[in-house]
Amino acid sequence: MPDEKTVWACKNKLAEDGTFDRLFDEFRTFLDSKGLSFNEGKIIDATFVEAPRQRNTKEENKQIKDGNGKDLWNPEDGDSPKEKKRKLAKKSHKDVDARWTKKRGENHYGYKNHVKADKKTKLIEKYHTTDASVHDSNVIKPLIEEKDKGQDLYLDAGYESKDDVVRECGMNPIISEKGHRNNPLTDGQKQNNRVKSKDRCRIEHIFGFVEGAMNGSLVRSIGMMRAKAANALTNLVDNIFRYVQINIYHPQFITCKG
């Protein structure tokens, strides 16, 4: 049996050359061949993927936030061999790609998994990884494909004011409305949100499965490259489980039995 370092090195090499992304794309092609690509609407949302929290000084955090984190903890010419080894070891454990953000009073550190799912099957069709500080509403265009044009796109209230972006991509926005200070939602708006949420909430089933059954809402790796690989693998496994469920509970969805 290979030891943990051999497994880590193999997984790291697969992450570097994008193998997990290709596996996701190949399995999606397989799903399409089974007739599981429906044109009845799509849903976009994002979930946090927590990373190991860092303990840095204020100066180090400022440099990381300014995008210069890779210049930190580098050995210098005057350092002893022992000091150089210590700095390199420290640098290898520092994540300069993850970011802090705050949502509903809770602090989050790490990345986000932005997902576009099919409304009918709840299969993930496309995903995009960012650091946690990127707002959900700024990741719409990278998820929309040519075949999505003309369909409804369901979004939660966090995507308000993005109607023009969705229409620019050729889709029909169905966005839940959001109340504001001194301007709460009316009863009619609340009722409209309930109607929209019946379809939009289906993407929460994906995130619930990923977090509850797969423990996929966190990464124990360092850096954006490995976070992207982890999200690709998580989304692939979710689609595999969902395909098994479709075969058991909704075999009528599969139009090609070959």
PDB file of all heavy atoms in Angstrom, residues 122-148:
ATOM      1  N   LYS A 122     -31.698  18.186 -10.909  1.00  0.00           N
ATOM      2  CA  LYS A 122     -30.765  18.601  -9.846  1.00  0.00           C
ATOM      3  C   LYS A 122     -29.345  18.119 -10.120  1.00  0.00           C
ATOM      4  O   LYS A 122     -28.535  17.966  -9.197  1.00  0.00           O
ATOM      5  CB  LYS A 122     -31.243  18.136  -8.466  1.00  0.00           C
ATOM      6  CG  LYS A 122     -32.519  18.808  -8.005  1.00  0.00           C
ATOM      7  CD  LYS A 122     -32.847  18.492  -6.559  1.00  0.00           C
ATOM      8  CE  LYS A 122     -33.319  17.079  -6.379  1.00  0.00           C
ATOM      9  NZ  LYS A 122     -33.829  16.821  -5.007  1.00  0.00           N
ATOM     10  N   LEU A 123     -29.018  17.871 -11.374  1.00  0.00           N
ATOM     11  CA  LEU A 123     -27.656  17.528 -11.756  1.00  0.00           C
ATOM     12  C   LEU A 123     -26.848  18.813 -11.944  1.00  0.00           C
ATOM     13  O   LEU A 123     -27.342  19.793 -12.501  1.00  0.00           O
ATOM     14  CB  LEU A 123     -27.651  16.722 -13.054  1.00  0.00           C
ATOM     15  CG  LEU A 123     -28.164  15.282 -12.956  1.00  0.00           C
ATOM     16  CD1 LEU A 123     -28.456  14.727 -14.338  1.00  0.00           C
ATOM     17  CD2 LEU A 123     -27.159  14.398 -12.218  1.00  0.00           C
ATOM     18  N   ILE A 124     -25.614  18.806 -11.477  1.00  0.00           N
ATOM     19  CA  ILE A 124     -24.737  19.961 -11.647  1.00  0.00           C
ATOM     20  C   ILE A 124     -24.207  19.966 -13.073  1.00  0.00           C
ATOM     21  O   ILE A 124     -23.639  18.978 -13.544  1.00  0.00           O
ATOM     22  CB  ILE A 124     -23.562  19.911 -10.649  1.00  0.00           C
ATOM     23  CG1 ILE A 124     -24.090  19.975  -9.217  1.00  0.00           C
ATOM     24  CG2 ILE A 124     -22.587  21.061 -10.903  1.00  0.00           C
ATOM     25  CD1 ILE A 124     -23.021  19.744  -8.168  1.00  0.00           C
ATOM     26  N   GLU A 125     -24.401  21.074 -13.771  1.00  0.00           N
ATOM     27  CA  GLU A 125     -23.958  21.165 -15.159  1.00  0.00           C
ATOM     28  C   GLU A 125     -22.666  21.954 -15.317  1.00  0.00           C
ATOM     29  O   GLU A 125     -21.897  21.712 -16.242  1.00  0.00           O
ATOM     30  CB  GLU A 125     -25.057  21.791 -16.016  1.00  0.00           C
ATOM     31  CG  GLU A 125     -26.303  20.940 -16.097  1.00  0.00           C
ATOM     32  CD  GLU A 125     -27.282  21.425 -17.144  1.00  0.00           C
ATOM     33  OE1 GLU A 125     -27.185  22.604 -17.560  1.00  0.00           O
ATOM     34  OE2 GLU A 125     -28.153  20.638 -17.545  1.00  0.00           O
ATOM     35  N   LYS A 126     -22.439  22.915 -14.434  1.00  0.00           N
ATOM     36  CA  LYS A 126     -21.220  23.717 -14.528  1.00  0.00           C
ATOM     37  C   LYS A 126     -20.920  24.301 -13.149  1.00  0.00           C
ATOM     38  O   LYS A 126     -21.838  24.509 -12.341  1.00  0.00           O
ATOM     39  CB  LYS A 126     -21.389  24.837 -15.568  1.00  0.00           C
ATOM     40  CG  LYS A 126     -20.077  25.427 -16.072  1.00  0.00           C
ATOM     41  CD  LYS A 126     -20.327  26.357 -17.255  1.00  0.00           C
ATOM     42  CE  LYS A 126     -19.048  26.997 -17.762  1.00  0.00           C
ATOM     43  NZ  LYS A 126     -18.105  26.027 -18.333  1.00  0.00           N
ATOM     44  N   TYR A 127     -19.656  24.572 -12.883  1.00  0.00           N
ATOM     45  CA  TYR A 127     -19.263  25.117 -11.583  1.00  0.00           C
ATOM     46  C   TYR A 127     -18.078  26.063 -11.779  1.00  0.00           C
ATOM     47  O   TYR A 127     -17.389  26.047 -12.807  1.00  0.00           O
ATOM     48  CB  TYR A 127     -18.885  23.992 -10.613  1.00  0.00           C
ATOM     49  CG  TYR A 127     -17.800  23.086 -11.145  1.00  0.00           C
ATOM     50  CD1 TYR A 127     -16.455  23.363 -10.934  1.00  0.00           C
ATOM     51  CD2 TYR A 127     -18.128  21.958 -11.890  1.00  0.00           C
ATOM     52  CE1 TYR A 127     -15.464  22.546 -11.454  1.00  0.00           C
ATOM     53  CE2 TYR A 127     -17.148  21.137 -12.402  1.00  0.00           C
ATOM     54  CZ  TYR A 127     -15.825  21.429 -12.187  1.00  0.00           C
ATOM     55  OH  TYR A 127     -14.850  20.629 -12.706  1.00  0.00           O
ATOM     56  N   HIS A 128     -17.854  26.883 -10.771  1.00  0.00           N
ATOM     57  CA  HIS A 128     -16.748  27.843 -10.821  1.00  0.00           C
ATOM     58  C   HIS A 128     -16.284  28.092  -9.394  1.00  0.00           C
ATOM     59  O   HIS A 128     -17.103  28.312  -8.495  1.00  0.00           O
ATOM     60  CB  HIS A 128     -17.213  29.150 -11.475  1.00  0.00           C
ATOM     61  CG  HIS A 128     -16.113  30.128 -11.726  1.00  0.00           C
ATOM     62  ND1 HIS A 128     -15.186  29.962 -12.736  1.00  0.00           N
ATOM     63  CD2 HIS A 128     -15.770  31.292 -11.102  1.00  0.00           C
ATOM     64  CE1 HIS A 128     -14.340  30.975 -12.730  1.00  0.00           C
ATOM     65  NE2 HIS A 128     -14.667  31.789 -11.742  1.00  0.00           N
ATOM     66  N   THR A 129     -14.976  28.063  -9.170  1.00  0.00           N
ATOM     67  CA  THR A 129     -14.415  28.248  -7.829  1.00  0.00           C
ATOM     68  C   THR A 129     -13.805  29.638  -7.697  1.00  0.00           C
ATOM     69  O   THR A 129     -13.058  30.076  -8.577  1.00  0.00           O
ATOM     70  CB  THR A 129     -13.335  27.195  -7.542  1.00  0.00           C
ATOM     71  OG1 THR A 129     -13.901  25.885  -7.662  1.00  0.00           O
ATOM     72  CG2 THR A 129     -12.771  27.360  -6.138  1.00  0.00           C
ATOM     73  N   THR A 130     -14.126  30.317  -6.599  1.00  0.00           N
ATOM     74  CA  THR A 130     -13.523  31.610  -6.287  1.00  0.00           C
ATOM     75  C   THR A 130     -13.131  31.609  -4.807  1.00  0.00           C
ATOM     76  O   THR A 130     -13.485  30.697  -4.065  1.00  0.00           O
ATOM     77  CB  THR A 130     -14.494  32.774  -6.533  1.00  0.00           C
ATOM     78  OG1 THR A 130     -15.584  32.697  -5.577  1.00  0.00           O
ATOM     79  CG2 THR A 130     -15.055  32.747  -7.938  1.00  0.00           C
ATOM     80  N   ASP A 131     -12.418  32.656  -4.391  1.00  0.00           N
ATOM     81  CA  ASP A 131     -12.208  32.797  -2.949  1.00  0.00           C
ATOM     82  C   ASP A 131     -13.515  33.260  -2.313  1.00  0.00           C
ATOM     83  O   ASP A 131     -14.440  33.709  -2.997  1.00  0.00           O
ATOM     84  CB  ASP A 131     -11.063  33.767  -2.655  1.00  0.00           C
ATOM     85  CG  ASP A 131     -11.342  35.198  -3.078  1.00  0.00           C
ATOM     86  OD1 ASP A 131     -12.208  35.847  -2.460  1.00  0.00           O
ATOM     87  OD2 ASP A 131     -10.702  35.683  -4.032  1.00  0.00           O
ATOM     88  N   ALA A 132     -13.612  33.162  -1.001  1.00  0.00           N
ATOM     89  CA  ALA A 132     -14.870  33.402  -0.292  1.00  0.00           C
ATOM     90  C   ALA A 132     -15.346  34.844  -0.364  1.00  0.00           C
ATOM     91  O   ALA A 132     -16.525  35.120  -0.155  1.00  0.00           O
ATOM     92  CB  ALA A 132     -14.726  32.984   1.173  1.00  0.00           C
ATOM     93  N   SER A 133     -14.446  35.787  -0.658  1.00  0.00           N
ATOM     94  CA  SER A 133     -14.833  37.201  -0.660  1.00  0.00           C
ATOM     95  C   SER A 133     -15.589  37.620  -1.916  1.00  0.00           C
ATOM     96  O   SER A 133     -16.191  38.690  -1.952  1.00  0.00           O
ATOM     97  CB  SER A 133     -13.591  38.094  -0.504  1.00  0.00           C
ATOM     98  OG  SER A 133     -12.755  38.002  -1.651  1.00  0.00           O
ATOM     99  N   VAL A 134     -15.566  36.796  -2.961  1.00  0.00           N
ATOM    100  CA  VAL A 134     -16.259  37.127  -4.212  1.00  0.00           C
ATOM    101  C   VAL A 134     -17.760  36.943  -4.012  1.00  0.00           C
ATOM    102  O   VAL A 134     -18.208  35.861  -3.613  1.00  0.00           O
ATOM    103  CB  VAL A 134     -15.756  36.243  -5.376  1.00  0.00           C
ATOM    104  CG1 VAL A 134     -16.555  36.529  -6.648  1.00  0.00           C
ATOM    105  CG2 VAL A 134     -14.272  36.478  -5.610  1.00  0.00           C
ATOM    106  N   HIS A 135     -18.532  37.990  -4.298  1.00  0.00           N
ATOM    107  CA  HIS A 135     -19.980  37.900  -4.098  1.00  0.00           C
ATOM    108  C   HIS A 135     -20.607  36.962  -5.125  1.00  0.00           C
ATOM    109  O   HIS A 135     -20.192  36.911  -6.295  1.00  0.00           O
ATOM    110  CB  HIS A 135     -20.619  39.287  -4.220  1.00  0.00           C
ATOM    111  CG  HIS A 135     -22.001  39.356  -3.656  1.00  0.00           C
ATOM    112  ND1 HIS A 135     -23.129  39.016  -4.395  1.00  0.00           N
ATOM    113  CD2 HIS A 135     -22.453  39.697  -2.424  1.00  0.00           C
ATOM    114  CE1 HIS A 135     -24.206  39.162  -3.641  1.00  0.00           C
ATOM    115  NE2 HIS A 135     -23.822  39.570  -2.442  1.00  0.00           N
ATOM    116  N   ASP A 136     -21.626  36.222  -4.667  1.00  0.00           N
ATOM    117  CA  ASP A 136     -22.301  35.254  -5.542  1.00  0.00           C
ATOM    118  C   ASP A 136     -22.750  35.883  -6.851  1.00  0.00           C
ATOM    119  O   ASP A 136     -22.626  35.282  -7.924  1.00  0.00           O
ATOM    120  CB  ASP A 136     -23.533  34.669  -4.832  1.00  0.00           C
ATOM    121  CG  ASP A 136     -23.191  33.953  -3.545  1.00  0.00           C
ATOM    122  OD1 ASP A 136     -21.992  33.908  -3.192  1.00  0.00           O
ATOM    123  OD2 ASP A 136     -24.115  33.443  -2.887  1.00  0.00           O
ATOM    124  N   SER A 137     -23.282  37.102  -6.768  1.00  0.00           N
ATOM    125  CA  SER A 137     -23.880  37.746  -7.936  1.00  0.00           C
ATOM    126  C   SER A 137     -22.864  38.114  -9.006  1.00  0.00           C
ATOM    127  O   SER A 137     -23.245  38.465 -10.122  1.00  0.00           O
ATOM    128  CB  SER A 137     -24.648  39.001  -7.504  1.00  0.00           C
ATOM    129  OG  SER A 137     -23.771  39.953  -6.930  1.00  0.00           O
ATOM    130  N   ASN A 138     -21.564  38.055  -8.677  1.00  0.00           N
ATOM    131  CA  ASN A 138     -20.529  38.389  -9.663  1.00  0.00           C
ATOM    132  C   ASN A 138     -20.095  37.178 -10.487  1.00  0.00           C
ATOM    133  O   ASN A 138     -19.221  37.300 -11.344  1.00  0.00           O
ATOM    134  CB  ASN A 138     -19.304  38.984  -8.955  1.00  0.00           C
ATOM    135  CG  ASN A 138     -19.592  40.343  -8.350  1.00  0.00           C
ATOM    136  OD1 ASN A 138     -20.393  41.110  -8.886  1.00  0.00           O
ATOM    137  ND2 ASN A 138     -18.963  40.663  -7.236  1.00  0.00           N
ATOM    138  N   VAL A 139     -20.693  36.021 -10.196  1.00  0.00           N
ATOM    139  CA  VAL A 139     -20.325  34.801 -10.932  1.00  0.00           C
ATOM    140  C   VAL A 139     -21.580  34.235 -11.587  1.00  0.00           C
ATOM    141  O   VAL A 139     -22.139  33.229 -11.139  1.00  0.00           O
ATOM    142  CB  VAL A 139     -19.660  33.768 -10.011  1.00  0.00           C
ATOM    143  CG1 VAL A 139     -19.139  32.581 -10.832  1.00  0.00           C
ATOM    144  CG2 VAL A 139     -18.507  34.391  -9.235  1.00  0.00           C
ATOM    145  N   ILE A 140     -22.031  34.919 -12.615  1.00  0.00           N
ATOM    146  CA  ILE A 140     -23.175  34.438 -13.396  1.00  0.00           C
ATOM    147  C   ILE A 140     -22.710  34.044 -14.795  1.00  0.00           C
ATOM    148  O   ILE A 140     -22.937  32.918 -15.245  1.00  0.00           O
ATOM    149  CB  ILE A 140     -24.279  35.516 -13.493  1.00  0.00           C
ATOM    150  CG1 ILE A 140     -24.874  35.789 -12.099  1.00  0.00           C
ATOM    151  CG2 ILE A 140     -25.384  35.083 -14.454  1.00  0.00           C
ATOM    152  CD1 ILE A 140     -25.923  36.881 -12.074  1.00  0.00           C
ATOM    153  N   LYS A 141     -22.029  34.957 -15.453  1.00  0.00           N
ATOM    154  CA  LYS A 141     -21.587  34.703 -16.835  1.00  0.00           C
ATOM    155  C   LYS A 141     -20.708  33.463 -16.983  1.00  0.00           C
ATOM    156  O   LYS A 141     -20.878  32.705 -17.950  1.00  0.00           O
ATOM    157  CB  LYS A 141     -20.871  35.935 -17.375  1.00  0.00           C
ATOM    158  CG  LYS A 141     -21.796  37.116 -17.663  1.00  0.00           C
ATOM    159  CD  LYS A 141     -21.041  38.270 -18.297  1.00  0.00           C
ATOM    160  CE  LYS A 141     -21.974  39.419 -18.626  1.00  0.00           C
ATOM    161  NZ  LYS A 141     -21.267  40.548 -19.269  1.00  0.00           N
ATOM    162  N   PRO A 142     -19.755  33.201 -16.049  1.00  0.00           N
ATOM    163  CA  PRO A 142     -18.923  32.001 -16.220  1.00  0.00           C
ATOM    164  C   PRO A 142     -19.696  30.687 -16.159  1.00  0.00           C
ATOM    165  O   PRO A 142     -19.173  29.648 -16.568  1.00  0.00           O
ATOM    166  CB  PRO A 142     -17.933  32.098 -15.041  1.00  0.00           C
ATOM    167  CG  PRO A 142     -17.896  33.537 -14.680  1.00  0.00           C
ATOM    168  CD  PRO A 142     -19.285  34.031 -14.923  1.00  0.00           C
ATOM    169  N   LEU A 143     -20.935  30.725 -15.659  1.00  0.00           N
ATOM    170  CA  LEU A 143     -21.709  29.491 -15.491  1.00  0.00           C
ATOM    171  C   LEU A 143     -22.709  29.245 -16.615  1.00  0.00           C
ATOM    172  O   LEU A 143     -23.209  28.128 -16.762  1.00  0.00           O
ATOM    173  CB  LEU A 143     -22.457  29.536 -14.149  1.00  0.00           C
ATOM    174  CG  LEU A 143     -21.588  29.556 -12.894  1.00  0.00           C
ATOM    175  CD1 LEU A 143     -22.459  29.775 -11.655  1.00  0.00           C
ATOM    176  CD2 LEU A 143     -20.800  28.262 -12.753  1.00  0.00           C
ATOM    177  N   ILE A 144     -23.019  30.273 -17.393  1.00  0.00           N
ATOM    178  CA  ILE A 144     -24.052  30.137 -18.425  1.00  0.00           C
ATOM    179  C   ILE A 144     -23.431  29.697 -19.745  1.00  0.00           C
ATOM    180  O   ILE A 144     -22.405  30.224 -20.174  1.00  0.00           O
ATOM    181  CB  ILE A 144     -24.822  31.462 -18.587  1.00  0.00           C
ATOM    182  CG1 ILE A 144     -25.588  31.769 -17.291  1.00  0.00           C
ATOM    183  CG2 ILE A 144     -25.788  31.383 -19.769  1.00  0.00           C
ATOM    184  CD1 ILE A 144     -26.366  33.062 -17.328  1.00  0.00           C
ATOM    185  N   GLU A 145     -24.085  28.723 -20.375  1.00  0.00           N
ATOM    186  CA  GLU A 145     -23.610  28.173 -21.638  1.00  0.00           C
ATOM    187  C   GLU A 145     -24.573  28.522 -22.772  1.00  0.00           C
ATOM    188  O   GLU A 145     -25.701  28.961 -22.540  1.00  0.00           O
ATOM    189  CB  GLU A 145     -23.478  26.653 -21.512  1.00  0.00           C
ATOM    190  CG  GLU A 145     -22.546  26.223 -20.383  1.00  0.00           C
ATOM    191  CD  GLU A 145     -22.655  24.735 -20.083  1.00  0.00           C
ATOM    192  OE1 GLU A 145     -23.545  24.361 -19.303  1.00  0.00           O
ATOM    193  OE2 GLU A 145     -21.857  23.965 -20.638  1.00  0.00           O
ATOM    194  N   GLU A 146     -24.111  28.291 -23.986  1.00  0.00           N
ATOM    195  CA  GLU A 146     -24.909  28.629 -25.169  1.00  0.00           C
ATOM    196  C   GLU A 146     -26.244  27.895 -25.152  1.00  0.00           C
ATOM    197  O   GLU A 146     -27.279  28.464 -25.505  1.00  0.00           O
ATOM    198  CB  GLU A 146     -24.121  28.263 -26.432  1.00  0.00           C
ATOM    199  CG  GLU A 146     -24.787  28.676 -27.734  1.00  0.00           C
ATOM    200  CD  GLU A 146     -24.856  30.183 -27.936  1.00  0.00           C
ATOM    201  OE1 GLU A 146     -24.014  30.900 -27.366  1.00  0.00           O
ATOM    202  OE2 GLU A 146     -25.775  30.632 -28.648  1.00  0.00           O
ATOM    203  N   LYS A 147     -26.239  26.641 -24.715  1.00  0.00           N
ATOM    204  CA  LYS A 147     -27.470  25.844 -24.742  1.00  0.00           C
ATOM    205  C   LYS A 147     -28.499  26.303 -23.710  1.00  0.00           C
ATOM    206  O   LYS A 147     -29.648  25.879 -23.743  1.00  0.00           O
ATOM    207  CB  LYS A 147     -27.146  24.369 -24.514  1.00  0.00           C
ATOM    208  CG  LYS A 147     -26.740  24.028 -23.100  1.00  0.00           C
ATOM    209  CD  LYS A 147     -26.443  22.550 -22.957  1.00  0.00           C
ATOM    210  CE  LYS A 147     -26.231  22.157 -21.513  1.00  0.00           C
ATOM    211  NZ  LYS A 147     -27.425  22.340 -20.669  1.00  0.00           N
ATOM    212  N   ASP A 148     -28.075  27.166 -22.773  1.00  0.00           N
ATOM    213  CA  ASP A 148     -28.993  27.654 -21.746  1.00  0.00           C
ATOM    214  C   ASP A 148     -29.891  28.785 -22.242  1.00  0.00           C
ATOM    215  O   ASP A 148     -30.882  29.116 -21.570  1.00  0.00           O
ATOM    216  CB  ASP A 148     -28.208  28.157 -20.525  1.00  0.00           C
ATOM    217  CG  ASP A 148     -27.379  27.061 -19.877  1.00  0.00           C
ATOM    218  OD1 ASP A 148     -27.823  25.897 -19.912  1.00  0.00           O
ATOM    219  OD2 ASP A 148     -26.299  27.371 -19.351  1.00  0.00           O
TER     220      ASP A 148
END
